[in-house]
Amino acid sequence: MNPKLLSKAQINEVFMRFKAQNPAPKSELEWSSPFTLLVAVVLSAQATDKSVNLATRELYKIADTPQKILALGEEGLIPYIKSIGLYKSKARHVIGLCEKLISDFAGQVPRSREELMSLPGVGRKTANVVLNVVWGEHTMPVDTHLLRIAPKIGLAQGDTPEKVEKSLLERVPDEFMEHAHHWLILHGRYVCTARNPKCGICIISDICQHNEM
């Protein structure tokens, strides 16, 4: 049995509480330009933000543009990212996206989802993260945390990232959309954890539909 969906008033209350607790949440990935964020998000697939930050701090001291990373090549890039899971395929993707940024976009990160998704290693979630974090667009990147907790809380329906994204876009009030996915990621990462969720300290435990089942 799936939890039922929250009402509009309940959803509004959920995000009002998140906003009161953390008015301006930020990505936990470290970045200084659209390009460095893009690379960090590509590297973060199936890896922790902490592990990515440890790697990119050293990498970006040496190479923080498509041209500089391309000059390193795969063999030069791998030592910097070897501590991150799937580093061989990620190195190939990063070099490929650097080549395409230079050849197709004059070295600049494009501002449309379709163009971002044309880059190697960039899927819908990664494109949505860049659009939201860099330019404040009202996108909803659905990672494993959102896929797990949004239906559980009653914020959205769906069992795939695309379905949950569509449901959240339809139901989350526009005034909260700039920060909504950050609030939900942080909630899933630190409170509504997959194992042993911390319901005792959860600020929305009285609204969460999982607790009504």
Side-chain angles (χ1 to χ4, degrees):
M1 178 181 171
N2 291 321
K4 66 181 182 181
L5 288 168
L6 300 177
S7 68
K8 286 184 178 180
Q10 286 174 314
I11 291 175
N12 198 66
E13 180 63 22
V14 165
F15 286 101
M16 287 290 287
R17 292 185 191 182
F18 283 149
K19 183 178 181 179
Q21 184 186 55
N22 185 2
K26 303 291 183 193
S27 170
E28 293 190 318
L29 289 170
E30 296 171 3
W31 61 283
S32 59
S33 67
F35 173 72
T36 54
L37 177 68
L38 175 62
V39 171
V41 179
V42 169
L43 294 175
S44 72
Q46 299 178 51
T48 65
D49 288 359
K50 186 176 180 181
S51 69
V52 173
N53 290 337
L54 286 172
T56 57
R57 277 176 209 156
E58 297 307 310
L59 171 64
Y60 292 158
K61 288 177 186 175
I62 304 299
D64 60 356
T65 67
Q67 294 83 355
K68 289 177 182 176
I69 287 185
L70 196 54
L72 285 177
E74 273 187 57
E75 294 306 310
L77 175 60
I78 282 174
Y80 289 98
I81 66 170
K82 202 168 184 177
S83 58
I84 303 172
L86 308 174
Y87 68 89
K88 287 184 179 178
S89 63
K90 289 177 181 178
R92 192 163 58 249
H93 286 149
V94 170
I95 294 299
L97 74 83
C98 288
E99 289 174 339
K100 193 168 178 68
L101 284 175
I102 292 166
S103 66
D104 293 10
F105 301 107
Q108 300 300 307
V109 175
R111 282 198 63 168
S112 81
R113 183 185 289 113
E114 292 71 25
E115 288 175 326
L116 283 165
M117 289 176 64
S118 75
L119 300 168
V122 179
R124 187 176 180 88
K125 188 207 80 172
T126 295
N128 279 339
V129 170
V130 173
L131 292 171
N132 174 263
V133 174
V134 176
W135 292 295
E137 292 194 21
H138 290 186
T139 62
M140 187 59 70
V142 174
D143 69 348
T144 54
H145 293 301
L146 268 71
L147 183 61
R148 176 174 56 81
I149 72 167
K152 176 181 172 181
I153 294 167
L155 291 170
Q157 296 173 306
D159 54 7
T160 67
E162 290 77 14
K163 288 177 183 176
V164 170
E165 177 186 344
K166 182 174 184 289
S167 186
L168 285 168
L169 288 172
E170 289 170 351
R171 297 173 58 76
V172 176
D174 195 61
E175 66 183 285
F176 300 118
M177 275 298 299
E178 182 179 352
H179 298 307
H181 97 272
H182 281 126
W183 284 318
L184 292 171
I185 285 173
L186 294 170
H187 190 65
R189 190 174 285 169
Y190 298 112
V191 181
C192 193
T193 49
R195 295 181 184 178
N196 305 315
K198 301 174 178 66
C199 298
I201 64 166
C202 175
I203 61 172
I204 60 167
S205 62
D206 59 316
I207 302 174
C208 177
Q209 284 300 313
H210 185 71
N211 295 329
E212 297 294 323
M213 292 175 68

